[in-house]
Amino acid sequence: MAEANAAVLFVTVSLVLVGLLSGLSLPWALLPVAVVVFIFILARGLKGRDEFAHLNVCVLVMGDIGRSPRMQYHALSFSKHGYNVTFIGHLGTKPHQDILEDDRIDIIPISELRSLQVGPKILIYISKVIIQSLQLFYVLMQLEDQAYILLQNPPGIPGIAVTWLVSRIIGAQFVIDWHNYGYSIMALSHGERHPIVKAAKWYESVFGRLSDYNLCVTNAMRHDLLKNWNIKATTIYDKPPLIFREAPLKLRHELFVKISSAYPQFKACSEISKENTELTAFTERSTKTGEVRLCAGRPALLLSSTSWTEDEDFSILLKALEDYEGFVKESQHLPSVVCVITGKGPQKEYYKKLIDSKDFKHVKICTPWLEAEDYPVLLGSADLGVCLHKSSSGLDLPMKVVDMFGCCLPVCAINFQCLDELVKHEENGLVFTDSSELAEQLKMLLCEFPKEHGKLRHFRQNLREGGQQRWDENWDLNVLPLFKEHCD
């Protein structure tokens, strides 16, 4: 069946492209698509309804499943409450092990299409959207009957329109989880007045209103959706699952040893050695007793996580680290720093070249990609987090800070419109506007490190005592009742 569907998809797309290249107008070129859609609708109508459809939910990501933590948490929460979950998306990065081991969650991978390299840009873009639409339509129409389809937005093109169409055909409730606006992300590279950006904004506003229900990540986004597009949504803040917590010393040491084989920034100085002791840059373990301790003269572990996109300007952090390097040279009360920047994304190579060009003596930088199981441990081992996420819409919040707070890790975060819904200045972290301000904050927070005193200790203690709500509790209280009330 899969091979037959792939063949039909290939033939259909080929006919569309041939029609466009031969000069047919777009409506006539899309005629094969209309025929295939009609056949699928007819076939679906002849199929009986699954009596257990009310327990089936599809979680859909038009992106990398492994880099979509919120949607993975949704899938696990549905499974926990007895739903059978079909998780659809790209398999570029390994999902969390709990997803892979859950018997109620089936992953259906879809291909990540690369842009065609021949022809005008508009034709390339249209052909890619057509291929993605057909692929998604085929995959969704092959599923067992679904009660709900939960779609992550962005990206919304062509996912919103196709998912709405299929949900109407199969009788499923269509729910959008608004993480941001796709058009605002496109505007970062094209500009707000570009025709494609305007078309994307129109598309999101029109098809977004066709959903049966909506979730969103901030109150600011909820107000914006209602005011500008008349879309009613419920705010479901990102919350950390229990895997994000302060890491025990033994676990920290094991991770540092593991990472040091690939990243020498985690290795102990070659000039330092102790008998019967296993050393890293931050920890030491007695090979006789197994006891693990933090090294007395260890560097501060700074951590930042990113998707390496235009909404995060890492030149700000690099300039701040340059200034900090100067502060260390002038003062004996400041530690060296190991700065770990995790993540994958399009601008990673660009910034790696900038990093390699720096001649730091007291600052070391590495840019690893960590397994899903290792990332929470690293967060739980760090001394300070830095967030450079500056929302393209000004309406979403950085999930990386949510995870940091779950590990009781204080944060320095760049300011934007609704950040105060998460980061409370002078309470759980600090907010900055430029590299100079960030450098001064690093200097103030790390003064006389590793002694625990001052604001860094105060922020961490506030996070410990805050009794932060976790994902499961948040989901059970806010999301599950919504689905029961609006989607039954």
Side-chain angles (χ1 to χ4, degrees), residues 347-363:
Q347 293 191 324
K348 183 173 182 176
E349 291 305 315
Y350 168 77
Y351 279 108
K352 280 186 68 176
K353 290 179 181 178
L354 285 182
I355 292 168
D356 293 340
S357 69
K358 304 297 180 183
D359 185 25
F360 292 138
K361 296 292 188 295
H362 303 284
V363 175

Side-chain angles (χ1 to χ4, degrees), residues 258-333:
K258 175 182 176 180
I259 294 177
S260 65
S261 61
Y263 299 97
Q265 294 87 348
F266 287 85
K267 290 184 177 179
C269 178
S270 58
E271 300 174 359
I272 300 176
S273 63
K274 291 185 179 181
E275 189 176 356
N276 300 320
T277 304
E278 183 181 50
L279 294 170
T280 73
F282 306 94
T283 54
E284 55 184 55
R285 184 183 74 86
S286 169
T287 55
K288 288 186 175 181
T289 66
E291 180 187 4
V292 178
R293 295 185 300 176
L294 291 170
C295 297
R298 68 186 183 276
L301 180 54
L302 212 66
L303 193 138
S304 187
S305 177
T306 178
S307 53
W308 298 106
T309 52
E310 289 93 341
D311 59 357
E312 292 178 298
D313 183 1
F314 264 81
S315 63
I316 294 174
L317 177 57
L318 294 183
K319 180 62 172 65
L321 291 174
E322 281 185 7
D323 293 346
Y324 183 83
E325 171 89 1
F327 296 153
V328 178
K329 291 177 180 178
E330 297 170 0
S331 171
Q332 296 181 355
H333 301 292

Side-chain angles (χ1 to χ4, degrees), residues 95-268:
H96 196 278
Q97 196 64 29
D98 289 347
I99 294 284
L100 299 175
E101 295 176 353
D102 195 313
D103 292 336
R104 289 185 177 273
I105 300 177
D106 292 324
I107 297 177
I108 297 182
I110 53 177
S111 302
E112 185 175 4
L113 301 177
R114 304 296 180 184
S115 298
L116 301 176
Q117 302 298 320
V118 181
K121 287 185 177 180
I122 187 64
L123 178 58
I124 292 174
Y125 184 75
I126 291 174
S127 62
K128 182 177 180 179
V129 170
I130 291 172
I131 295 171
Q132 287 179 321
S133 300
L134 286 170
Q135 177 185 220
L136 181 58
F137 184 81
Y138 271 123
V139 170
L140 291 177
M141 289 296 291
Q142 290 179 60
L143 298 179
E144 295 298 321
D145 292 325
Q146 302 293 310
Y148 329 121
I149 303 179
L150 175 62
L151 171 70
Q152 172 185 281
N153 182 70
I157 300 176
I160 298 178
V162 175
T163 306
W164 167 77
L165 174 62
V166 172
S167 67
R168 297 292 77 93
I169 294 172
I170 68 175
Q173 295 289 310
F174 176 32
V175 185
I176 300 177
D177 191 3
W178 297 84
H179 297 195
N180 199 348
Y181 296 140
Y183 80 86
S184 68
I185 295 175
M186 295 174 69
L188 292 175
S189 54
H190 297 291
E192 294 182 2
R193 297 184 178 182
H194 195 283
I196 289 182
V197 175
K198 290 182 177 180
K201 184 175 183 179
W202 173 87
Y203 169 90
E204 279 186 289
S205 67
V206 171
F207 286 95
R209 296 173 196 170
L210 300 177
S211 58
D212 296 296
Y213 204 71
N214 298 273
L215 309 175
C216 64
V217 293
T218 64
N219 281 328
M221 179 168 283
R222 176 170 62 86
H223 293 313
D224 192 78
L225 283 167
L226 183 61
K227 177 182 177 182
N228 295 319
W229 294 349
N230 197 31
I231 293 175
K232 295 181 180 180
T234 297
T235 302
I236 305 297
Y237 285 114
D238 286 317
K239 298 290 182 181
L242 286 172
I243 56 173
F244 288 95
R245 63 188 188 279
E246 291 185 83
L249 282 176
K250 182 180 179 181
L251 206 55
R252 297 187 197 189
H253 181 77
E254 291 172 355
L255 179 64
F256 293 155
V257 171
K258 175 182 176 180
I259 294 177
S260 65
S261 61
Y263 299 97
Q265 294 87 348
F266 287 85
K267 290 184 177 179

